[in-house]
Amino acid sequence: HLKTEFSVCHKPWIETTYHGIVTENDDKVLLDPPLIALDKDAPLRYAALFWLLTCSGEICGFRIHGQNVPFEAVVLDKSTGEGVIRAKDKLDCELQKEHTFTIQAYDCGEGPDGANMKKSHKATVHIQVNDINEYSPVFKEKSYKATVIEGKKYDSILKVEAVDADCSFQFSQICNYEIVTPDVPFTIDKDGFIKNTEKLSYGKEHMYKLTVTAYDCGKNRASEDVLVKISVKPTCKPSWQGFNKRIEYEPGTGSLALFPSMHLETCDEPITSIRASIELETNHIGKGCDRDTYSEKSLHKLCGASSGTVELLPAPSSSANWTVGLPTDNGHDSDQVFEFNGTQAIKVPNGMVSTSLKDPFTISVWMRHGPGAHEKETILCNSDKTEMNRHHYSLYVHNCRLIFLLRQEPSEAENYKPAEFHWKLDQVCDKEWHHYVLNVEFPTVSVFVDGTTFEPFLVTEDYPLHASKIETQLTIGACWQENSGHDNDTETVSEPSSGGNARMAQFFRGNLAGLIIRTGKLENKKVIDCLYTCKEGLDVQLPEEVASAIKVEFNPNQSSLTVEGDDIDAFDKVMQHISYLNSRQFPTPGIRHLRISTTVKCFNEESCVTVPDAEGYVMVLQPEEPKISLSGIDHFARSAAEFESQEGVTLFPELRIVSTITREVEADTESEAAEGADDDPTVQETVVSEEIMHNLDTCEVTVVGDELDGEHESLEVDMSQLQQRSLEMSSSNMGLVITGVNTMANYEQVLHLIRYKNWHTEALFDRKFKLVCSELNGRYISNDFKVEVNVIHTASPMEHANNAMVQPNFINPVHHASVDLSGHNLVNAHQASVVPSAATIVIVVCVSFLVFMIILGVFRIRAAHQRTMRDQENGKENEMDWDDSALTITVNPMETYEDQHSSEEEEEEEEESEDGEEEDDITSAESESSEDEEGGEPEDQQGASRQQQLEWDDSTLTY
């Protein structure tokens, strides 16, 4: 019966499902239920022997099914079937939180060899990997920024967020945030929302910087704290935003955008239209703005008024000295202006302007005048010099009116004619610079003020003047009133404070500049606009996409512009394209204030915003100042005949005018690095000199020493060459002045043509001159280039019975030789001559004396020898022989010595010439000339030449 019951072996049995838990970084798995395999073939006590002979009831192992299962099953007890599951390697919850696979148990089989091994069914195993808190929170952003408006409390300003890489809910959740920075008016909740605990003030703090950290639910703190920046914005006020108040302008760089990043903040208020006015304040620069500072006469020429102009307020100079006593602004950066304080006036020299102006004519002047007393203030007046004090014509200011008086000369018809023309102009008394031009074509007089024409509002009539032979006096700043006292034509006169007879009346109070009278022609509108136009101003290049939506208007001198439109974005673009431009090569440095005035219109006029004015300034930097250098031959000599010739002597034959600027440039960092510039890191900048080109407006040649005597000397220049270059020349007994705006090259050519002539050179040995050139009416002045000219006096040699006794010339003339005088080169070889300096004469005298003493010694030795021979032969007394020898010293020995040693002396003369060439250029020139003459003469003439040379040296001792 037992044999029948146990004849079939059974399969092992395990549970159908298992659930396990394992902690990451550990290999033990806790299963529920425990892993136990049962087998019905397990032996009983009373049937142990039979069981051993038939089926095995032991569990030999477990087999896991699945791909890449990181677990293994191990049998702990074969008899009981107990086993465990464990991890092969350390597990990572963050990679895989759960694992599912199947497991199967198998027994040991039948018999001792384990044949017919039985397997259990497959059971499913679910294993969960438990997390450990191995990661810290990390913020999603590197930093956080927010902006708040002052005076407001926020429920939430911004949110910070951190994450945790742990896999479990407990350890991956952020449970808390914390502001680490102490004493800040902010708080943060557990979700990361930051808010302010009090109202913030922009005046107290513009920006807060907070450090925030985070904690996960496992109490791990964030690995790195995060920075939170909270900017406090002032309460929204409509205004222009995003432009620099200081804008630097580098001369010569063209247009400079003033507001490249500017925009209008309207605080979200609906706007229907915008109007902005941009003003550039230049009233303090020059005469209202930056203009070329050439003389007014030069400016008229540049603008096309080339003839008939007379400048009555020129800059003081040797040829125009009647303005010397007037106070000026003393500035060279901008225009030179003259100040009249109510006690000063000047008289214009006679002949500057014709006695009676024949129409048409023009008077132009720059004037700055403020409200004054209710008295006449004279700008220009032509009145009787004596007796009657009649005003022939005058321009004056009275009660903020500009009045021009023009009395007609006597005529046959004694009828009333227009005499006084009145203009009521606000510009006369606004304390600003204005340009006035009066075009007079009797009986019509028109006035242009800053390029705009005005007609007189009142014209009064008067009889013409009676016929008179009284001379007139032209004055500026007052009217001449002859009563008593002496006359001084060029002196600035002042009004006496009390008592006495005043020589002037109706004094002007204000500033004047550029007073010009032009006879025979009227100024046209083009010339007037050219004279008034500024060299600096505002400019704008409208983008194509906004050109139709925005309207832009300029004032005449472009110192202000108006922008209108209804599209804020287009408006901002136009504002960003507004620029400043100064076209001068050397602009006046300094500040130009900017002001933007804005008006807006809104849909709701009651709540419409108001935009305050925005202010800034343009800083025009100091231009690199040019250094004007004059160079050339500064010492030379010419024969008296050349001074007396029709052509005269050219003063500046090789003059060169060069202008340079010095600037600092940055070193080439790339090349320095390639060459190992790290060895000297302190070298950052290099100073370089750079040649530039610009115009000149004046060159003045003055005599140094005594003034020119017009009876026998003069300075002359080819007037046709001046006219070709639109230059003018004025001369006086001090020299001459060439004026006109032209290039340095043209001035060089003209200065090369200046000649000095002197008809009586007997008592003249030298003459010195000085040349100075300038640009922009004296703003940039050259060095003083001085030239010394020596006069060579020559005399004809006298016939003499004994050549040895001939008195030598003071100077031995040498022709066709290029000579050097004490280091001063002479240019034209065919004109060169020699004037020995004092040092040269001393050297020649000493050398001549030494040669003479040597020759004399030789002669004495020969004479003594001959005397001894004669004493032996003839028995004569020694004294008589010595007396006879004296004759041989003066006559016979000289000729004998020259005959015997002519070749030796020739070599000595050549050696002396070569030595002199090294020591002094003059002796070199003499040697070369002597050699040339010797080479071209016969032998007998050569001997005569050598004898003359000895005679010259011998005479030097006598001299």
Side-chain angles (χ1 to χ4, degrees), residues 931-951:
E931 290 172 3
D932 292 340
E933 292 175 357
E934 289 172 4
E937 294 178 350
E939 288 186 3
D940 57 342
Q941 294 179 0
Q942 292 178 8
S945 176
R946 289 194 297 272
Q947 186 173 352
Q948 288 179 3
Q949 180 66 36
L950 285 173
E951 289 171 359

Side-chain angles (χ1 to χ4, degrees), residues 868-914:
T868 302
M869 296 297 294
R870 285 194 297 270
D871 287 343
Q872 293 176 356
E873 292 177 0
N874 302 325
K876 293 183 179 181
E877 295 180 0
N878 291 335
E879 290 182 0
M880 293 301 295
D881 293 340
W882 188 86
D883 291 336
D884 292 339
S885 65
L887 295 175
T888 61
I889 293 174
T890 57
V891 181
N892 296 333
M894 285 280 289
E895 295 175 354
T896 303
Y897 181 79
E898 280 186 279
D899 293 338
Q900 294 177 354
H901 302 282
S902 60
S903 60
E904 295 176 2
E905 288 179 3
E906 201 170 13
E907 292 175 358
E908 289 178 358
E909 287 176 2
E910 290 175 359
E911 289 174 0
E912 289 174 2
S913 299
E914 291 174 358

Side-chain angles (χ1 to χ4, degrees), residues 98-110:
E98 293 183 352
H99 297 269
T100 301
F101 54 89
T102 58
I103 192 172
Q104 193 175 29
Y106 59 90
D107 58 18
C108 294
E110 299 177 359

